[in-house]
Amino acid sequence: MGGSKKHVVTRTSTSLAIVETNPPHNKDLVPVEAPIVSSYNDRIRPLLDTVDRLRNLNVMREGIQLPTIVVVGDQSSGKSSVLESLAGISLPRGQGICTRVPLVMRLQRSSSPEPEIWLEYSDKIVHTDEEHITEAICAATDVIAGSGKGVSDAPLTLHVKKEGVPDLTMVDLPGITRVPVNGQPENIYEQISGMIMKYIEPQESIILNVLSATVDFTTCESIRMSRQVDKTGERTLAVVTKADMAPEGLLQKVTADDVSIGLGYVCVRNRIGEETYEEARLQEEFLFRTHPMLSLIDDDIVGIPVLAQKLMLIQATMISRCLPEIVRKINHKMETAVLELNKLPMVMASTGEALMALMDVIGSAKESLLRILVQGDFSEFPDDQNMHCTARLADMLSKFSDNLQAKPEDVSEFLMDEIKILDECKCVGLPNFIPRSAFLAILSQHVDSVHDKPVEFIKKIWDYIEVVLSSVIAKYSENFPQIQSSIKRAGRNLITKIKEQSVERVMEIVEMEKLTDYTCNPDYMTSWTQKTSEQQNFIHDVLDDFNEPEYFSLTGFGNVKISHLRNYHVHLLQQGFDMKMRITSYWTIVLRRIVDNLALYLQLSVKYLVNTHFQKEIVAEMVDPRAGGGVERMLEESPSVANKREKLKNSIKLLKESKDAVAAIVDQNSGYGDR
């Protein structure tokens, strides 16, 4: 096999070509155009141009991943040598970590004999040349990652436009090292492995795993990491370096594939010493053609030219496969950005426009309040139970009713309050008539004992409504932060005003109960009749001098003490008992009437708040210059909204340009990735 000819992929200034190559001493090279040339020019080049255009537009900052070749390998695996051979330029070398930041290498074939080389990082562009590229990369790395031994995940982009280079974009990552040396951070492994995982995890990434022929592939950390994200190896290509240093068993290593390299292997020879890149390729071709063991390896998987060809084809296939999804993501993100931009308030040029915008905000808030406070529709705030307002108001009213009608513990002696008041209200007249003044006096005492509860209840109700009002205003004025506080303040002022009116109204409702004793509710007579039916037995036990019982079991009151009543005249006892039963029956009516009146008044006042007061009074306060009106301030867009608007416009512009960039190629290449 040593004397057989081999096909080697080389570069001309305009296309890929395959030439038949003899040993280094034979200079007769006859170019033969490869079948891939027409396919490359028709299909691959437009795909690569499209993705390069997307990269230049920086579409990845919109969260859209592009097919990228990510170069990984253990430290000293020969990554730099492979990249140098592909790019035809020298990269930093030395002991320890040479690559300390992600180095994005954009190689582009050029017809110009003069190479163009420049670096991009931190919004800077630094032009350089082949002679000074190493110094330029080191200087840029120091700026990004510091002058020590630390690493950074901020990328450094190297552009190389040169004759003979393959059209590739690759990301070279720091070599994997486990033990920190020479001043490296203690967590250097964690930093580097985290950076690598970030780049190789996306399904659009093509993993170029650089392995040294001198090591056992199964022990390589880079293999372990790539298999974590690409278990089947369908997007992993391995390049085996230093083939000349460990030829024994290399054929078995790359054919057995114990580590699941789905895209296969390419074996290469590193450039040695001061060899030129042309000399290195001739020596590489000679090595794999003549070496007793290496010549047994199939021609299709040896040599830098073959690697370049494979990478371009793999990259083009991945691009074609990912293009429909990229288009879908671009469209989705652009639609989302346009919707978000449309939600922003328009930039207003006049007070009239500002007033219309204000009316729209207040009108929307009013409609929301109508739904949640009056109609009981909580679909706008499904997960916030505090905003399910009709239910919360009903809960608060129910608790108030229970609290108001709860019977206080009677610490006084039974009938003594009634007897004392009857004694003070007695007058000249027929016996057994209960003075109306006595009934009203006791009723007034009862009303005074609960006077504060309805007032506190209505205050609590309006405090709650104020919170709801503030939340709704905040939601519908979020696009106008410059006036949001003013609208909230106007809302608070409105609630304060209504709360004061409500307190006055509730106090009137309570005070009315002290003026007269009246009800048309038949429950009063029914209750009083039932309660007075025990009067005779009650009086009998009180006046029972023989047994002198101390307690009497009275329906609705339980065991009541009666021993203290034996000193009073029977007529006064009868009047006191009758008074007690009347006031008890009537007080139940009064308490229910207070609750009913408050419930009805609450419903009415909430309805008036939403339908009548809210829009009119808030607009009036917002346009009143004495209150520091907010309409004029709406003409000044807040910095946060202005920044958001600018970002969205830039994003839409970028995405539109990206969409245009792929529109021409997507239909032409649909299905190419499946070929």
Side-chain angles (χ1 to χ4, degrees), residues 198-230:
K198 172 185 172 183
Y199 276 88
I200 67 175
E201 193 166 10
Q203 291 302 302
E204 297 82 1
S205 294
I206 302 159
I207 305 170
L208 181 59
N209 211 320
V210 181
L211 309 169
S212 172
T214 61
V215 302
D216 181 358
F217 295 169
T218 60
T219 65
C220 292
E221 184 69 10
S222 62
I223 288 290
R224 186 191 68 81
M225 294 180 69
S226 64
R227 289 181 69 178
Q228 279 186 270
V229 297
D230 184 27

Side-chain angles (χ1 to χ4, degrees), residues 92-107:
R93 292 170 174 271
Q95 296 296 320
I97 301 177
C98 301
T99 304
R100 298 193 291 124
V101 299
L103 179 64
V104 182
M105 296 182 62
R106 294 187 180 176
L107 309 182

Side-chain angles (χ1 to χ4, degrees), residues 79-287:
K79 284 194 304 96
S80 296
S81 296
V82 172
L83 296 173
E84 284 180 339
S85 297
L86 290 169
I89 58 173
S90 297
L91 296 173
R93 292 170 174 271
Q95 296 296 320
I97 301 177
C98 301
T99 304
R100 298 193 291 124
V101 299
L103 179 64
V104 182
M105 296 182 62
R106 294 187 180 176
L107 309 182
Q108 186 174 357
R109 180 188 50 177
S110 172
S111 58
S112 172
E114 292 297 324
E116 290 182 61
I117 303 174
W118 71 94
L119 297 172
E120 287 185 16
Y121 62 96
S122 305
D123 296 326
K124 297 179 183 177
I125 297 178
V126 178
H127 290 274
T128 185
D129 53 37
E130 291 183 89
E131 184 179 351
H132 299 96
I133 184 62
T134 296
E135 293 88 337
I137 291 176
C138 290
T141 299
D142 287 345
V143 171
I144 297 171
S147 57
K149 299 291 184 179
V151 298
S152 169
D153 62 358
L156 166 63
T157 302
L158 168 64
H159 295 263
V160 179
K161 294 182 70 175
K162 184 181 177 183
E163 278 187 318
V165 300
D167 290 286
L168 292 171
T169 297
M170 300 175 289
V171 179
D172 182 27
L173 298 176
I176 304 168
T177 180
R178 282 194 171 275
V179 182
V181 295
N182 300 327
Q184 294 169 353
E186 288 297 318
N187 65 339
I188 189 68
Y189 171 75
E190 288 76 13
Q191 289 188 44
I192 293 175
S193 60
M195 187 190 309
I196 290 173
M197 294 300 288
K198 172 185 172 183
Y199 276 88
I200 67 175
E201 193 166 10
Q203 291 302 302
E204 297 82 1
S205 294
I206 302 159
I207 305 170
L208 181 59
N209 211 320
V210 181
L211 309 169
S212 172
T214 61
V215 302
D216 181 358
F217 295 169
T218 60
T219 65
C220 292
E221 184 69 10
S222 62
I223 288 290
R224 186 191 68 81
M225 294 180 69
S226 64
R227 289 181 69 178
Q228 279 186 270
V229 297
D230 184 27
K231 290 182 171 52
T232 61
E234 62 182 358
R235 54 187 181 90
T236 302
L237 174 69
V239 54
V240 183
T241 65
K242 306 178 184 179
D244 53 330
M245 298 174 61
E248 296 84 0
L250 185 55
L251 176 60
Q252 288 72 27
K253 280 186 176 182
V254 299
T255 53
D257 188 21
D258 295 329
V259 289
S260 300
I261 303 296
L263 295 177
Y265 294 80
V266 178
C267 302
V268 300
R269 170 193 178 273
N270 295 352
R271 185 167 66 99
I272 299 174
E274 300 300 319
E275 289 178 345
T276 65
Y277 293 104
E278 291 76 12
E279 291 170 346
R281 294 292 64 78
L282 290 173
Q283 290 297 332
E284 179 184 61
E285 189 277 334
F286 184 69
L287 173 70

Side-chain angles (χ1 to χ4, degrees), residues 222-477:
S222 62
I223 288 290
R224 186 191 68 81
M225 294 180 69
S226 64
R227 289 181 69 178
Q228 279 186 270
V229 297
D230 184 27
K231 290 182 171 52
T232 61
E234 62 182 358
R235 54 187 181 90
T236 302
L237 174 69
V239 54
V240 183
T241 65
K242 306 178 184 179
D244 53 330
M245 298 174 61
E248 296 84 0
L250 185 55
L251 176 60
Q252 288 72 27
K253 280 186 176 182
V254 299
T255 53
D257 188 21
D258 295 329
V259 289
S260 300
I261 303 296
L263 295 177
Y265 294 80
V266 178
C267 302
V268 300
R269 170 193 178 273
N270 295 352
R271 185 167 66 99
I272 299 174
E274 300 300 319
E275 289 178 345
T276 65
Y277 293 104
E278 291 76 12
E279 291 170 346
R281 294 292 64 78
L282 290 173
Q283 290 297 332
E284 179 184 61
E285 189 277 334
F286 184 69
L287 173 70
F288 284 108
R289 187 170 61 82
T290 61
H291 192 282
M293 285 177 280
L294 297 181
S295 63
L296 299 176
I297 302 175
D298 193 282
D299 294 356
D300 292 338
I301 62 170
V302 297
I304 288 292
V306 169
L307 175 63
Q309 175 188 337
K310 278 183 174 289
L311 286 174
M312 285 191 295
L313 287 174
I314 291 169
Q315 181 177 245
T317 302
M318 181 66 84
I319 291 171
S320 184
R321 185 179 301 155
C322 294
L323 212 53
E325 180 64 12
I326 290 173
V327 171
R328 189 196 67 79
K329 288 181 178 178
I330 289 174
N331 289 335
H332 174 70
K333 287 186 174 290
M334 188 162 69
E335 290 169 5
T336 302
V338 169
L339 286 174
E340 197 169 349
L341 181 63
N342 291 338
K343 287 180 182 178
L344 293 180
M346 64 179 182
V347 178
M348 289 160 287
S350 67
T351 303
E353 289 181 353
L355 183 58
M356 289 180 63
L358 175 65
M359 294 298 293
D360 185 58
V361 168
I362 296 175
S364 298
K366 173 186 172 181
E367 291 301 316
S368 177
L369 290 171
L370 182 65
R371 289 191 296 270
I372 63 176
L373 278 174
V374 178
Q375 297 172 354
D377 180 355
F378 54 82
S379 58
E380 189 176 344
F381 303 91
D383 300 322
D384 187 354
Q385 290 193 341
N386 196 53
M387 298 297 285
H388 302 176
C389 298
T390 54
R392 298 295 77 77
L393 291 174
D395 289 342
M396 295 167 73
L397 184 65
S398 177
K399 290 179 181 178
F400 165 70
S401 177
D402 292 343
N403 180 42
L404 187 67
Q405 297 183 69
K407 294 181 180 179
E409 184 179 351
D410 189 8
V411 295
S412 62
E413 294 177 310
F414 189 67
L415 289 189
M416 289 308 299
D417 288 341
E418 288 77 12
I419 289 174
K420 289 177 182 178
I421 288 177
L422 285 168
D423 193 45
E424 292 300 318
C425 292
K426 61 188 176 183
C427 60
V428 177
L430 293 174
N432 294 332
F433 276 86
I434 298 177
R436 187 164 181 268
S437 59
F439 185 88
L440 292 177
I442 294 178
L443 177 62
S444 181
Q445 286 183 355
H446 278 60
V447 172
D448 288 341
S449 69
V450 299
H451 182 275
D452 292 338
K453 290 183 178 182
V455 173
E456 292 304 317
F457 166 72
I458 204 66
K459 287 180 178 179
K460 185 177 180 181
I461 287 288
W462 287 112
D463 287 343
Y464 166 71
I465 293 176
E466 181 179 332
V467 172
V468 171
L469 191 77
S470 181
S471 297
V472 171
I473 287 174
K475 175 181 177 179
Y476 287 95
S477 64

Side-chain angles (χ1 to χ4, degrees), residues 427-579:
C427 60
V428 177
L430 293 174
N432 294 332
F433 276 86
I434 298 177
R436 187 164 181 268
S437 59
F439 185 88
L440 292 177
I442 294 178
L443 177 62
S444 181
Q445 286 183 355
H446 278 60
V447 172
D448 288 341
S449 69
V450 299
H451 182 275
D452 292 338
K453 290 183 178 182
V455 173
E456 292 304 317
F457 166 72
I458 204 66
K459 287 180 178 179
K460 185 177 180 181
I461 287 288
W462 287 112
D463 287 343
Y464 166 71
I465 293 176
E466 181 179 332
V467 172
V468 171
L469 191 77
S470 181
S471 297
V472 171
I473 287 174
K475 175 181 177 179
Y476 287 95
S477 64
E478 63 180 351
N479 287 331
F480 300 96
Q482 66 270 43
I483 63 163
Q484 193 175 70
S485 60
S486 298
I487 300 180
K488 284 186 175 181
R489 183 175 64 248
R492 287 195 299 270
N493 292 341
L494 173 61
I495 295 297
T496 299
K497 179 180 177 181
I498 294 178
K499 184 194 290 187
E500 292 173 354
Q501 295 172 350
S502 296
V503 167
E504 292 179 3
R505 176 61 180 151
V506 168
M507 290 176 67
E508 288 177 355
I509 290 174
V510 174
E511 287 298 314
M512 284 192 302
E513 299 296 344
K514 296 167 68 173
L515 296 180
T516 188
D517 47 337
Y518 171 78
T519 183
C520 64
N521 191 330
D523 287 349
Y524 167 71
M525 287 303 299
T526 301
S527 175
W528 174 71
T529 301
Q530 290 174 345
K531 293 180 185 301
T532 54
S533 64
E534 297 185 68
Q535 181 180 25
Q536 185 174 353
N537 292 333
F538 176 82
I539 299 298
H540 177 272
D541 280 15
V542 170
L543 301 179
D544 187 352
D545 292 332
F546 180 74
N547 294 310
E548 294 186 346
E550 187 173 357
Y551 292 93
F552 180 82
S553 179
L554 189 60
T555 303
F557 295 90
N559 288 329
V560 296
K561 190 176 180 181
I562 60 175
S563 57
H564 60 287
L565 299 175
R566 291 195 171 91
N567 296 327
Y568 294 98
H569 193 274
V570 62
H571 296 303
L572 189 57
L573 291 175
Q574 289 173 341
Q575 284 184 316
F577 187 89
D578 189 27
M579 176 78 79

